[in-house]
Amino acid sequence: MILQSQQNRKRPLGLKYRSSNAFALFTVSFALFTDMITYTVVIPIMAFVVDAMQNGLSPSSFDGKKDSAEIHDSGETSKVTGTLLMFYGIGLLIGSPILGYMGDRMTGRKWPMMVGILALFLSTFLFLYGTQLWFFAAARFLQGLSNACIWILGICVLVDNFPQRVLGKVMSIVSVANTIGLSTGSPIGALTATDLLLRLTLVERRNSPKEWFESSLKGDCNETLQEYTPSINIEKETTREQICQSLSSTFNNFSCEKTNKTIQKAENSILISEDDDNNNKNKINQQQGFKMTRLLLYPRFLTAVYIYFLSGMSYNIFEPTLTVHLAHEWNYNSSQIGLIFLAQNIFKLIAAPISGIVYDRYGPKWFTFVTMLSCGISIIGMGIPNYNTAGGIIPLVFALVLVGSFTVAFTVPSLPEIAHCVTRINNGSNDGHARSYGLYTAVFGLGAFCGPLLGGFLYDRIGFLWLCIVIAFVMFLSAPIALIFTGERKSISFKTTFKCIY
């Protein structure tokens, strides 16, 4: 009955474009862009709002345009701000396992993604009209749920669409959108509405009839392709021009311009050739089912998850502390602090694509090792400058830029690593991707939970410099783990990447 109902479904309008790899990539990237704007817009002002409320004032009394900052008790403010920000991690921790399970059990992932839009709307509403601290805690919790939706289900949509040998570059594009969202303060309402429209428009290949995506060929070309295509010696490096020349040399009346679908079908067979080699293993594995315990015993997977945890902790630990440090040491207001955070994200736009290219070409081993060590050194450099040091704030900003760039550089490769681990454990099957990315995102949520809480209390106890030294020491200890257990060497051309997208 289910198969029959699938076959009777009508093709939706604009199927070719709505189900394309490019549209899926744009939809997921835009969703992350929107989520990160709502995530970041409160970071520079949260400490000031908390300080105002602790002194009996309403949140609306805070004026971010003042020339100087007024934080009466920096230690207490950092602790309370860290406690509020950690609720984002709680939202990720609770939502990720649930969404991961739903993503693998449901035929489509688009509709669970609508839950993320609802959580985003509610979070924005609470931030706008909240008058108590618990309003902000609830808003951060809902932000965690919203982010879990897009990071788990959206990434799984990309894994469903793209060959694994270009996932490094694909994930780097997603990370660029994520970084732009971190750096932008645009109108949230319009962006959220656009995000909702894109998610509704997307057509998933996962729960659509296969007949929709088969090339419909006309005339003799249909018959000759069925006879000729299996005999073509299809290699991974085969290009569109080579396919066209091969067919033209066999058939006198062959026209490349009139038979683009014929060539497209041959190209598709190239892109899925790696999966076709494992078809028999896939069938056996699907009958056995995905077992999470096998994945949890795989060192490569555990290392990727740990790297993401470290990224979540190291990034979020500075959200409450850096704001308070800048306000206390340099007397900066929220606008000036927002510009400092913007500087941190600028070079991420360069670091993310580079890390994706390096991952696809050479693997993550040495690149991750070097960038983690460099990140630790930069974190120490960020803690040294103060108001009296030479250069003032400039050395801190320079070190902060390096920290942001190196963090995204060793984080991006961990995203495709998860997909590779699941495929390796399942002998080529895609089953279990959502649950694996659910665990992956939950561990990031654990880092987002521990980071602000730990940072807020350590800042009060040992100060900003020693806080930076502690985090750097953790980086130094973790880098050899990444060198030993992460990925494998591989190579891929840019032509293949663009072919997969378009």
Side-chain angles (χ1 to χ4, degrees), residues 9 25 54 251 495:
R9 288 172 59 186
L25 179 58
Q54 285 182 319
F251 306 109
K495 184 180 292 186

Side-chain angles (χ1 to χ4, degrees), residues 14-21 23 161 202-203 205 213:
L15 173 65
K16 176 181 177 181
Y17 304 101
R18 292 168 59 187
S19 64
S20 66
N21 290 352
F23 187 76
N161 280 47
L202 179 67
V203 175
R205 294 174 180 263
F213 309 104

Side-chain angles (χ1 to χ4, degrees), residues 386-406:
N386 57 47
Y387 186 78
N388 298 316
T389 55
I393 193 68
I394 295 177
L396 186 147
V397 174
F398 179 74
L400 184 63
V401 169
L402 293 179
V403 169
S405 301
F406 288 131

Side-chain angles (χ1 to χ4, degrees), residues 240-456:
R240 172 181 284 263
E241 291 76 14
Q242 290 172 336
I243 296 172
C244 182
Q245 292 174 2
S246 180
L247 290 172
S248 299
S249 62
T250 305
F251 306 109
N252 296 328
N253 297 324
F254 184 86
S255 173
C256 291
E257 290 76 11
K258 295 181 180 180
T259 55
N260 282 329
K261 291 182 179 179
T262 302
I263 301 174
Q264 184 64 48
K265 184 169 183 178
E267 285 182 342
N268 290 339
S269 64
I270 297 170
L271 297 179
I272 64 173
S273 60
E274 290 182 347
D275 295 332
D276 289 341
D277 293 337
N278 294 317
N279 276 342
N280 294 330
K281 294 181 180 179
N282 291 351
K283 292 178 181 179
I284 296 173
N285 192 73
Q286 289 171 358
Q287 293 174 357
Q288 294 175 347
F290 172 73
K291 296 186 183 299
M292 197 70 185
T293 53
R294 296 178 59 199
L295 200 61
L296 292 175
L297 296 175
Y298 192 23
R300 183 178 176 184
F301 174 79
L302 295 176
T303 303
V305 168
Y306 173 71
I307 289 173
Y308 206 42
F309 164 78
L310 191 63
S311 170
M313 187 185 70
S314 61
Y315 183 84
N316 288 277
I317 204 169
F318 292 113
E319 287 183 344
T321 57
L322 183 58
T323 301
V324 175
H325 179 63
L326 292 171
H328 177 73
E329 187 70 31
W330 278 275
N331 207 31
Y332 276 7
N333 60 28
S334 62
S335 299
Q336 293 169 315
I337 293 173
L339 290 176
I340 298 296
F341 277 103
L342 176 62
Q344 178 191 18
N345 294 318
I346 289 177
F347 284 92
K348 289 182 180 180
L349 300 177
I350 302 174
I354 290 176
S355 60
I357 293 170
V358 171
Y359 178 87
D360 284 335
R361 285 185 174 271
Y362 307 108
K365 282 185 178 293
W366 284 102
F367 184 76
T368 303
F369 175 73
V370 171
T371 52
M372 289 181 75
L373 290 180
S374 302
C375 185
I377 296 171
S378 302
I379 289 174
I380 295 177
M382 189 173 67
I384 295 175
N386 57 47
Y387 186 78
N388 298 316
T389 55
I393 193 68
I394 295 177
L396 186 147
V397 174
F398 179 74
L400 184 63
V401 169
L402 293 179
V403 169
S405 301
F406 288 131
T407 301
V408 76
F410 71 73
T411 302
V412 168
S414 67
L415 282 163
E417 277 287 279
I418 299 298
H420 282 284
C421 291
V422 174
T423 304
R424 178 68 63 85
I425 290 296
N426 284 346
N427 294 321
S429 172
N430 287 333
D431 183 34
H433 276 303
R435 277 169 285 175
S436 302
Y437 277 105
L439 176 62
Y440 180 75
T441 309
V443 170
F444 180 86
L446 182 62
F449 170 81
C450 297
L453 190 63
L454 183 63

Side-chain angles (χ1 to χ4, degrees), residues 71-369:
I71 291 183
H72 299 85
D73 188 345
S74 59
E76 185 64 24
T77 300
S78 69
K79 289 192 290 187
V80 176
T81 305
T83 303
L84 289 177
L85 294 178
M86 79 174 185
F87 278 89
Y88 170 80
I90 295 176
L92 283 174
L93 274 172
I94 295 177
S96 296
I98 298 173
L99 290 165
Y101 182 83
M102 291 173 59
D104 277 335
R105 287 291 179 265
M106 300 183 70
T107 55
R109 291 170 174 139
K110 181 172 69 175
W111 293 109
M113 289 170 66
M114 296 299 107
V115 177
I117 287 289
L118 177 61
L120 191 62
F121 273 119
L122 292 176
S123 172
T124 305
F125 179 84
L126 289 174
F127 272 125
L128 285 174
Y129 301 106
T131 57
Q132 302 293 330
L133 289 177
W134 72 267
F135 278 92
F136 299 112
R140 290 290 292 180
F141 176 80
L142 290 171
Q143 280 185 348
L145 289 179
S146 174
N147 209 253
C149 284
I150 188 58
W151 269 114
I152 297 170
L153 304 176
I155 295 299
C156 285
V157 169
L158 297 181
V159 172
D160 289 341
N161 280 47
F162 285 90
Q164 290 193 6
R165 61 184 184 275
V166 297
L167 281 182
K169 295 185 182 67
V170 170
M171 298 306 177
S172 70
I173 295 172
V174 170
S175 297
V176 167
N178 183 64
T179 301
I180 295 174
L182 286 170
S183 311
T184 308
S186 304
I188 297 174
L191 290 173
T192 307
T194 305
D195 184 15
L196 174 62
L197 179 62
L198 288 173
R199 297 192 199 191
L200 288 172
T201 305
L202 179 67
V203 175
E204 291 185 77
R205 294 174 180 263
R206 175 185 172 89
N207 65 327
S208 301
K210 294 182 179 180
E211 292 78 11
W212 288 2
F213 309 104
E214 291 180 355
S215 300
S216 55
L217 306 174
K218 297 181 181 180
D220 295 335
C221 286
N222 188 16
E223 298 177 0
T224 56
L225 177 69
Q226 293 176 0
E227 295 177 0
Y228 181 72
T229 300
S231 64
I232 299 177
N233 185 18
I234 297 177
E235 302 292 342
K236 296 177 185 177
E237 294 78 12
T238 306
T239 64
R240 172 181 284 263
E241 291 76 14
Q242 290 172 336
I243 296 172
C244 182
Q245 292 174 2
S246 180
L247 290 172
S248 299
S249 62
T250 305
F251 306 109
N252 296 328
N253 297 324
F254 184 86
S255 173
C256 291
E257 290 76 11
K258 295 181 180 180
T259 55
N260 282 329
K261 291 182 179 179
T262 302
I263 301 174
Q264 184 64 48
K265 184 169 183 178
E267 285 182 342
N268 290 339
S269 64
I270 297 170
L271 297 179
I272 64 173
S273 60
E274 290 182 347
D275 295 332
D276 289 341
D277 293 337
N278 294 317
N279 276 342
N280 294 330
K281 294 181 180 179
N282 291 351
K283 292 178 181 179
I284 296 173
N285 192 73
Q286 289 171 358
Q287 293 174 357
Q288 294 175 347
F290 172 73
K291 296 186 183 299
M292 197 70 185
T293 53
R294 296 178 59 199
L295 200 61
L296 292 175
L297 296 175
Y298 192 23
R300 183 178 176 184
F301 174 79
L302 295 176
T303 303
V305 168
Y306 173 71
I307 289 173
Y308 206 42
F309 164 78
L310 191 63
S311 170
M313 187 185 70
S314 61
Y315 183 84
N316 288 277
I317 204 169
F318 292 113
E319 287 183 344
T321 57
L322 183 58
T323 301
V324 175
H325 179 63
L326 292 171
H328 177 73
E329 187 70 31
W330 278 275
N331 207 31
Y332 276 7
N333 60 28
S334 62
S335 299
Q336 293 169 315
I337 293 173
L339 290 176
I340 298 296
F341 277 103
L342 176 62
Q344 178 191 18
N345 294 318
I346 289 177
F347 284 92
K348 289 182 180 180
L349 300 177
I350 302 174
I354 290 176
S355 60
I357 293 170
V358 171
Y359 178 87
D360 284 335
R361 285 185 174 271
Y362 307 108
K365 282 185 178 293
W366 284 102
F367 184 76
T368 303
F369 175 73

